[in-house]
Short mmCIF file of all heavy atoms in Angstrom, two decimals:
data_model
loop_
_atom_site.label_atom_id
_atom_site.label_comp_id
_atom_site.label_asym_id
_atom_site.label_seq_id
_atom_site.Cartn_x
_atom_site.Cartn_y
_atom_site.Cartn_z
N ILE A 377 31.15 -14.09 -92.69
CA ILE A 377 30.89 -14.19 -94.12
C ILE A 377 31.73 -15.35 -94.71
O ILE A 377 31.20 -16.16 -95.48
CB ILE A 377 31.20 -12.86 -94.85
CG1 ILE A 377 30.35 -11.70 -94.28
CG2 ILE A 377 31.03 -13.03 -96.34
CD1 ILE A 377 28.88 -11.82 -94.59
N GLU A 378 32.97 -15.42 -94.31
CA GLU A 378 33.83 -16.47 -94.82
C GLU A 378 33.31 -17.87 -94.45
O GLU A 378 33.32 -18.76 -95.23
CB GLU A 378 35.27 -16.29 -94.29
CG GLU A 378 36.01 -15.19 -95.02
CD GLU A 378 37.36 -14.83 -94.39
OE1 GLU A 378 37.66 -15.32 -93.26
OE2 GLU A 378 38.13 -14.12 -95.04
N ARG A 379 32.75 -17.97 -93.22
CA ARG A 379 32.21 -19.24 -92.78
C ARG A 379 30.98 -19.60 -93.62
O ARG A 379 30.83 -20.74 -94.05
CB ARG A 379 31.83 -19.18 -91.29
CG ARG A 379 32.28 -20.42 -90.54
CD ARG A 379 32.15 -20.25 -89.03
NE ARG A 379 32.85 -19.10 -88.52
CZ ARG A 379 32.34 -18.23 -87.61
NH1 ARG A 379 31.13 -18.39 -87.17
NH2 ARG A 379 33.06 -17.21 -87.22
N SER A 380 30.17 -18.62 -93.93
CA SER A 380 28.99 -18.89 -94.80
C SER A 380 29.43 -19.31 -96.17
O SER A 380 28.84 -20.22 -96.77
CB SER A 380 28.14 -17.64 -94.91
OG SER A 380 27.72 -17.19 -93.64
N GLU A 381 30.46 -18.68 -96.67
CA GLU A 381 30.94 -19.02 -98.03
C GLU A 381 31.51 -20.46 -98.07
O GLU A 381 31.50 -21.06 -99.13
CB GLU A 381 32.01 -18.03 -98.47
CG GLU A 381 31.39 -16.68 -98.93
CD GLU A 381 32.42 -15.68 -99.45
OE1 GLU A 381 33.64 -15.98 -99.42
OE2 GLU A 381 32.02 -14.62 -99.93
N LYS A 382 31.97 -20.97 -96.90
CA LYS A 382 32.48 -22.35 -96.88
C LYS A 382 31.45 -23.31 -97.36
O LYS A 382 31.78 -24.37 -97.96
CB LYS A 382 32.90 -22.72 -95.43
CG LYS A 382 34.25 -22.19 -94.97
CD LYS A 382 35.22 -23.34 -94.67
CE LYS A 382 36.62 -22.87 -94.31
NZ LYS A 382 37.29 -22.12 -95.35
N LYS A 383 30.18 -23.00 -97.11
CA LYS A 383 29.08 -23.88 -97.50
C LYS A 383 28.99 -24.03 -99.04
O LYS A 383 28.30 -24.90 -99.56
CB LYS A 383 27.77 -23.40 -96.96
CG LYS A 383 27.75 -23.33 -95.45
CD LYS A 383 26.36 -22.95 -94.93
CE LYS A 383 26.44 -22.65 -93.44
NZ LYS A 383 25.95 -21.32 -93.10
N LEU A 384 29.64 -23.10 -99.72
CA LEU A 384 29.58 -23.14 -101.19
C LEU A 384 30.71 -24.00 -101.79
O LEU A 384 30.67 -24.33 -102.97
CB LEU A 384 29.73 -21.69 -101.74
CG LEU A 384 28.62 -20.75 -101.44
CD1 LEU A 384 29.05 -19.32 -101.64
CD2 LEU A 384 27.38 -21.01 -102.28
N GLU A 385 31.65 -24.35 -100.94
CA GLU A 385 32.81 -25.09 -101.45
C GLU A 385 32.37 -26.39 -102.09
O GLU A 385 31.47 -27.10 -101.59
CB GLU A 385 33.79 -25.36 -100.31
CG GLU A 385 34.73 -24.21 -100.09
CD GLU A 385 35.71 -24.43 -98.92
OE1 GLU A 385 35.82 -25.58 -98.44
OE2 GLU A 385 36.33 -23.45 -98.53
N GLY A 386 32.98 -26.71 -103.20
CA GLY A 386 32.62 -27.94 -103.92
C GLY A 386 31.60 -27.68 -105.01
O GLY A 386 31.52 -28.46 -105.97
N THR A 387 30.80 -26.65 -104.88
CA THR A 387 29.82 -26.30 -105.91
C THR A 387 30.26 -25.09 -106.71
O THR A 387 30.17 -25.05 -107.92
CB THR A 387 28.43 -25.93 -105.30
OG1 THR A 387 28.37 -26.36 -103.97
CG2 THR A 387 27.28 -26.40 -106.17
N ILE A 388 30.68 -24.08 -105.93
CA ILE A 388 30.83 -22.75 -106.53
C ILE A 388 31.93 -22.63 -107.55
O ILE A 388 31.87 -21.90 -108.53
CB ILE A 388 30.93 -21.68 -105.42
CG1 ILE A 388 30.57 -20.27 -105.92
CG2 ILE A 388 32.29 -21.65 -104.79
CD1 ILE A 388 29.16 -19.96 -105.90
N GLU A 389 33.03 -23.43 -107.27
CA GLU A 389 34.23 -23.27 -108.14
C GLU A 389 33.86 -23.51 -109.62
O GLU A 389 34.24 -22.72 -110.50
CB GLU A 389 35.33 -24.25 -107.71
CG GLU A 389 35.86 -24.04 -106.32
CD GLU A 389 34.98 -24.67 -105.23
OE1 GLU A 389 33.92 -25.25 -105.58
OE2 GLU A 389 35.32 -24.59 -104.03
N ALA A 390 33.15 -24.58 -109.87
CA ALA A 390 32.79 -24.90 -111.27
C ALA A 390 31.87 -23.84 -111.88
O ALA A 390 31.96 -23.52 -113.06
CB ALA A 390 32.13 -26.28 -111.33
N LEU A 391 30.97 -23.32 -110.99
CA LEU A 391 30.03 -22.32 -111.48
C LEU A 391 30.76 -21.01 -111.87
O LEU A 391 30.43 -20.36 -112.86
CB LEU A 391 28.95 -22.03 -110.43
CG LEU A 391 28.12 -23.26 -110.05
CD1 LEU A 391 27.11 -22.89 -108.95
CD2 LEU A 391 27.39 -23.85 -111.23
N VAL A 392 31.74 -20.66 -111.02
CA VAL A 392 32.52 -19.44 -111.30
C VAL A 392 33.27 -19.65 -112.62
O VAL A 392 33.32 -18.76 -113.48
CB VAL A 392 33.45 -19.08 -110.13
CG1 VAL A 392 34.48 -18.04 -110.52
CG2 VAL A 392 32.64 -18.61 -108.91
N GLU A 393 33.88 -20.83 -112.70
CA GLU A 393 34.65 -21.14 -113.93
C GLU A 393 33.78 -21.06 -115.17
O GLU A 393 34.19 -20.49 -116.18
CB GLU A 393 35.24 -22.56 -113.75
CG GLU A 393 36.67 -22.68 -114.19
CD GLU A 393 37.20 -24.03 -113.77
OE1 GLU A 393 37.04 -25.00 -114.53
OE2 GLU A 393 37.73 -24.11 -112.62
N GLU A 394 32.58 -21.59 -115.04
CA GLU A 394 31.64 -21.56 -116.17
C GLU A 394 31.24 -20.12 -116.50
O GLU A 394 31.19 -19.75 -117.71
CB GLU A 394 30.38 -22.39 -115.77
CG GLU A 394 29.35 -22.56 -116.85
CD GLU A 394 29.83 -23.36 -118.06
OE1 GLU A 394 30.94 -23.88 -118.06
OE2 GLU A 394 29.02 -23.47 -119.04
N ALA A 395 31.00 -19.34 -115.49
CA ALA A 395 30.65 -17.90 -115.72
C ALA A 395 31.78 -17.19 -116.44
O ALA A 395 31.53 -16.38 -117.36
CB ALA A 395 30.35 -17.20 -114.39
N ILE A 396 32.99 -17.51 -116.08
CA ILE A 396 34.16 -16.89 -116.74
C ILE A 396 34.30 -17.39 -118.17
O ILE A 396 34.51 -16.65 -119.14
CB ILE A 396 35.42 -17.15 -115.91
CG1 ILE A 396 35.42 -16.31 -114.63
CG2 ILE A 396 36.68 -16.83 -116.76
CD1 ILE A 396 36.52 -16.62 -113.65
N ARG A 397 34.12 -18.69 -118.33
CA ARG A 397 34.27 -19.33 -119.66
C ARG A 397 33.24 -18.79 -120.66
O ARG A 397 33.53 -18.61 -121.82
CB ARG A 397 34.14 -20.83 -119.52
CG ARG A 397 34.74 -21.65 -120.68
CD ARG A 397 34.51 -23.14 -120.51
NE ARG A 397 33.09 -23.49 -120.44
CZ ARG A 397 32.25 -23.52 -121.43
NH1 ARG A 397 32.68 -23.22 -122.68
NH2 ARG A 397 30.97 -23.85 -121.30
N THR A 398 32.04 -18.55 -120.19
CA THR A 398 30.95 -18.17 -121.12
C THR A 398 30.80 -16.65 -121.26
O THR A 398 29.78 -16.22 -121.79
CB THR A 398 29.63 -18.79 -120.68
OG1 THR A 398 29.35 -18.33 -119.31
CG2 THR A 398 29.63 -20.28 -120.69
N VAL A 399 31.71 -15.89 -120.79
CA VAL A 399 31.60 -14.41 -120.87
C VAL A 399 31.38 -13.96 -122.33
O VAL A 399 31.93 -14.57 -123.26
CB VAL A 399 32.85 -13.72 -120.27
CG1 VAL A 399 34.08 -13.99 -121.12
CG2 VAL A 399 32.61 -12.23 -120.11
N GLU A 400 30.57 -12.95 -122.48
CA GLU A 400 30.42 -12.37 -123.81
C GLU A 400 31.12 -11.03 -123.76
O GLU A 400 30.87 -10.19 -122.90
CB GLU A 400 28.93 -12.17 -124.08
CG GLU A 400 28.68 -11.51 -125.43
CD GLU A 400 27.20 -11.01 -125.59
OE1 GLU A 400 26.41 -11.16 -124.65
OE2 GLU A 400 26.91 -10.48 -126.68
N VAL A 401 32.08 -10.81 -124.68
CA VAL A 401 32.81 -9.54 -124.71
C VAL A 401 32.29 -8.68 -125.84
O VAL A 401 32.28 -9.14 -127.00
CB VAL A 401 34.30 -9.74 -124.86
CG1 VAL A 401 35.05 -8.41 -124.83
CG2 VAL A 401 34.86 -10.64 -123.71
N ILE A 402 31.79 -7.50 -125.50
CA ILE A 402 31.27 -6.57 -126.51
C ILE A 402 32.21 -5.35 -126.60
O ILE A 402 32.49 -4.74 -125.61
CB ILE A 402 29.83 -6.11 -126.11
CG1 ILE A 402 28.91 -7.32 -125.89
CG2 ILE A 402 29.26 -5.18 -127.19
CD1 ILE A 402 27.51 -6.96 -125.33
N ASN A 403 32.65 -5.12 -127.82
CA ASN A 403 33.55 -3.93 -127.96
C ASN A 403 32.75 -2.70 -128.19
O ASN A 403 31.97 -2.61 -129.17
CB ASN A 403 34.52 -4.19 -129.15
CG ASN A 403 35.55 -5.23 -128.77
OD1 ASN A 403 36.21 -5.11 -127.76
ND2 ASN A 403 35.69 -6.24 -129.61
N ILE A 404 32.90 -1.74 -127.32
CA ILE A 404 32.11 -0.52 -127.37
C ILE A 404 33.03 0.65 -127.76
O ILE A 404 34.11 0.78 -127.22
CB ILE A 404 31.51 -0.21 -125.95
CG1 ILE A 404 30.79 -1.40 -125.40
CG2 ILE A 404 30.67 1.04 -126.00
CD1 ILE A 404 29.38 -1.56 -125.70
#
Side-chain angles (χ1 to χ4, degrees):
I377 299 292
E378 283 172 348
R379 224 169 307 134
S380 301
E381 283 183 356
K382 280 243 177 299
K383 299 185 191 124
L384 294 163
E385 275 178 12
T387 343
I388 200 85
E389 298 81 358
L391 300 178
V392 167
E393 224 167 87
E394 182 67 3
I396 288 173
R397 198 183 60 75
T398 57
V399 67
E400 178 192 2
V401 181
I402 305 173
N403 288 309
I404 310 270

